Amino acid sequence: MSQWGPMDARDQARMEYIVAALVELNEGVSEHSVRRLLWDFLRRTHLRDRYLQTEVGQVALGIGVFKVDAHYSFMERPKHIKNVPGQPVPRTDDYRIRFHRLFYNGDLKQIRWLVGVWEQDAPEILLCWQRFVEASFDKTQAASLEKRLRRGHLTPGREADERLLVERINKAYVRARGDWLRMHRPYVPVSVAVDNTKEGVG
């Protein structure tokens, strides 16, 4: 098993690219700290943030995948690159990593990194995480509709469609969460429980 666990060589290289990009974007943060943040991401079971101590303060890593397509003009670009309407998006390193740094409650020592990795550069485990995040968002958006259905507050003429929509969203969420839990399982430390209540034999 290699440094990034059971990934193939291509995905190993993609993880190393993410490490190098984050070190370059965050002067003062060591490569060791960036690797710790990425390993913490690989061990997640929930979407909530977890802060780790780094050289610049406590950092929570939010990471996902973006696509370079016609809608990319609505995303923030590096300031030194002009957004020219109608021009194709250049495929350069400037566009392979999106990065935002957020400070919470005015505390400059508690930072959230929002990182977007270009889809074509994303390792499979990150694509799997993105599907889980999207399914979780859909499930949250459908929660109010699901509550209405439980209370019998249905839209006249759309009852069947609404029930089918909620069922489809819930199934997609269960599938996406299951896929993520299976894929990230090799990265979770295994704790062995010892039962001291049983007497030895012989």
Side-chain angles (χ1 to χ4, degrees):
M1 191 175 291
S2 57
Q3 182 175 3
W4 290 108
M7 294 184 188
D8 61 23
R10 183 186 65 175
D11 279 358
Q12 293 269 336
R14 290 175 172 183
M15 290 296 290
E16 291 301 322
Y17 168 74
I18 296 171
V19 170
L22 292 182
V23 170
E24 182 178 353
L25 286 165
N26 294 277
E27 294 182 6
V29 180
S30 69
E31 180 179 324
H32 174 71
S33 289
V34 169
R35 290 182 185 277
R36 283 178 56 238
L37 286 164
L38 285 168
W39 269 103
D40 183 66
F41 153 70
L42 294 174
R43 296 183 175 117
R44 288 182 194 172
T45 55
H46 302 285
L47 302 183
R48 61 178 174 266
D49 287 336
R50 197 170 88 90
Y51 286 87
L52 296 182
Q53 190 64 41
T54 73
E55 293 82 359
V56 295
Q58 294 183 331
V59 175
L61 176 65
I63 189 165
V65 174
F66 73 91
K67 298 180 181 181
V68 178
D69 56 20
H71 299 290
Y72 190 72
S73 60
F74 297 101
M75 299 179 185
E76 290 191 24
R77 297 180 177 213
K79 291 181 180 178
H80 64 279
I81 295 181
K82 294 181 180 180
N83 183 2
V84 182
Q87 290 293 321
V89 176
R91 304 286 174 92
T92 68
D93 281 353
D94 291 314
Y95 292 89
R96 294 174 65 186
I97 290 281
R98 292 174 59 213
F99 181 83
H100 300 275
R101 187 183 290 106
L102 304 177
F103 299 95
Y104 277 90
N105 301 320
D107 184 357
L108 299 183
K109 293 299 182 182
Q110 193 172 55
I111 311 164
R112 187 164 192 252
W113 292 356
L114 297 181
V115 179
V117 179
W118 183 22
E119 184 181 40
Q120 294 185 23
D121 285 335
E124 181 58 35
I125 195 166
L126 184 50
L127 296 173
C128 184
W129 169 257
Q130 183 69 27
R131 290 190 289 269
F132 174 40
V133 170
E134 292 173 356
S136 299
F137 178 79
D138 290 342
K139 183 173 174 59
T140 300
Q141 295 293 96
S144 59
L145 176 58
E146 189 172 17
K147 187 181 295 184
R148 285 178 47 229
L149 291 175
R150 286 198 303 268
R151 293 176 178 174
H153 300 162
L154 306 175
T155 305
R158 297 197 57 198
E159 296 92 339
D161 289 341
E162 289 177 345
R163 291 188 189 282
L164 186 61
L165 176 61
V166 168
E167 182 181 352
R168 187 167 66 244
I169 289 172
N170 286 336
K171 285 182 177 178
Y173 170 79
V174 169
R175 182 169 58 250
R177 185 172 188 273
D179 289 345
W180 169 251
L181 292 178
R182 280 189 295 275
M183 180 162 278
H184 98 118
R185 189 172 294 132
Y187 301 93
V188 180
V190 178
S191 59
V192 179
V194 179
D195 187 352
N196 293 320
T197 62
K198 296 181 181 179
E199 295 181 1
V201 179

